[in-house]
């Protein structure tokens, strides 16, 4: 199997060297970036399976690039930051990060989180062929919205594109495939991340919060994904499906 290719981005040169050597010993192909310009250049020159980044580099504004990795390139992002407040962690997750670790962090834990993120991404790719997606259909529609399961794009009634992270895409895919059925957290975890996933309930809560916020911001009124007390969640709208010929 080909080694995973990761990009480490941090303004701490000693930490970059240490982590690069550590990940290299475990079979990773590692590139390092000391600033935003390096991140941009390297991201344009090669493909990466994972980004581990410090978003608080002095004089740098990495939020836009982190969102690009997470939402447009669909590359898992782990934030490894000196910022430790709850707000920082929430903002990091809202930027699309799969995980957030506060410095100082044990390199072994960072490695474990990286491996978990990579396993989850592979499972999510495999899940695209699972029965949770409507068979023989390339798109579904609800309330004037169109969700393209081939290109993984979500369009609002005006035709505008709503950016989805990989986790948000997988969660919405599961909901529309099981529209108007109550799904509990364990079912969502299994179908979004895989039955043997290392993710916890909190991962679903984060993705669900983001997805609800994006649907609401796009103009979808009311509770699209309703919480059913002591049972789980339900996608309340009826869904129609079709293929590219429709």
């Amino acid at each position: 199997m080909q080694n995973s290719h990761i990009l480490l981005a941090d303004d701490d040169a000693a930490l970059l060297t240490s982590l690069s050597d550590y990940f290299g010993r475990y079979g990773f192909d590692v590139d390092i970036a000391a600033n935003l310009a390096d991140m941009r250049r390297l991201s344009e020159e090669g493909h990466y399976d994972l980004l581990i980044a410090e978003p608080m580099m002095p004089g740098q504004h990495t939020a836009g690039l982190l969102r690009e990795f997470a939402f447009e390139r669909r590359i898992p992002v782990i934030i490894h930051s000196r910022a430790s407040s709850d707000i920082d962690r929430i903002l990091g997750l809202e930027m699309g990060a799969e995980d957030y670790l506060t410095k100082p962090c044990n390199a072994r834990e960072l490695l474990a989180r990286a491996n978990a993120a990579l396993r989850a991404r592979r499972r999510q790719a495999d899940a695209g062929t699972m029965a949770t997606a409507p068979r023989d259909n390339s798109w579904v529609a609800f309330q004037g919205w169109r969700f393209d399961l081939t290109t993984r794009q979500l369009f609002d009634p005006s035709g505008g594109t709503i950016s989805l992270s990989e986790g948000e895409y997988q969660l919405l895919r599961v909901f529309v495939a099981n529209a108007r059925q109550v799904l509990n957290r364990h079912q969502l975890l299994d179908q979004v991340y895989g039955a043997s996933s290392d993710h916890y309930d909190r991962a679903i809560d984060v993705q669900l919060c983001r997805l609800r916020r994006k649907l609401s911001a796009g103009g979808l009124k009311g509770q699209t994904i309703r919480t059913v007390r002591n049972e789980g969640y339900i996608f309340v709208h009826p869904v129609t499906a079709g293929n590219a010929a429709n």
Side-chain angles (χ1 to χ4, degrees), residues 66-231:
L66 292 181
R67 290 192 187 95
E68 182 180 319
F69 268 87
F71 295 133
E72 297 179 23
R73 304 185 184 210
R74 300 189 182 279
I75 297 171
V77 174
I78 294 177
I79 291 180
H80 182 217
S81 178
R82 63 179 66 93
S84 60
S85 73
D86 289 344
I87 293 298
D88 290 317
R89 298 174 71 87
I90 291 169
L91 290 176
L93 293 172
E94 288 181 341
M95 282 192 289
E98 298 285 330
D99 210 339
Y100 192 113
L101 284 83
T102 301
K103 297 175 182 174
C105 171
N106 187 292
R108 185 172 180 177
E109 180 180 1
L110 186 58
L111 175 66
R113 299 291 186 97
N115 281 324
L118 290 167
R119 287 196 300 271
R121 187 52 52 95
R122 286 192 289 269
R123 292 185 190 113
Q124 289 166 1
D126 293 341
T129 61
M130 291 171 57
T132 51
R135 288 186 177 275
D136 302 322
N137 295 316
S138 61
W139 58 265
V140 297
F142 54 91
Q143 299 295 105
W145 291 57
R146 184 181 176 103
F147 184 31
D148 194 313
L149 299 165
T150 303
T151 65
R152 300 188 171 202
Q153 290 180 296
L154 177 63
F155 301 94
D156 64 25
S158 69
T161 304
I162 308 298
S163 296
L164 296 175
S165 69
E166 179 67 16
E168 292 159 358
Y169 161 76
Q170 295 293 349
L171 185 59
L172 182 58
R173 176 184 60 81
V174 171
F175 272 124
V176 298
N178 300 277
R180 313 192 89 171
Q181 300 178 49
V182 176
L183 300 173
N184 62 42
R185 273 195 175 90
H186 294 300
Q187 290 172 310
L188 292 173
L189 281 167
D190 287 351
Q191 294 188 46
V192 172
Y193 296 113
S196 58
S197 170
D198 299 313
H199 285 75
Y200 299 97
D201 287 4
R202 177 60 180 160
I204 287 295
D205 292 339
V206 171
Q207 299 292 356
L208 183 58
C209 180
R210 294 176 185 164
L211 181 58
R212 280 171 163 166
R213 186 181 299 118
K214 287 186 177 181
L215 293 173
S216 177
L220 197 56
K221 304 300 183 183
Q223 283 193 321
T224 298
I225 302 169
R226 182 164 57 86
T227 300
V228 181
R229 187 177 177 84
N230 298 325
E231 293 188 46

Side-chain angles (χ1 to χ4, degrees), residues 22-33:
Y22 186 79
F23 275 82
R25 291 200 299 272
Y26 285 89
F28 287 86
D29 293 329
V30 183
D31 287 335
I32 60 174

Side-chain angles (χ1 to χ4, degrees), residues 4-8 23 28-31 48-50 52 118:
S4 294
H5 194 189
I6 67 173
L7 176 60
L8 297 173
F23 275 82
F28 287 86
D29 293 329
V30 183
D31 287 335
Y48 293 97
D49 300 299
L50 176 70
I52 301 175
L118 290 167

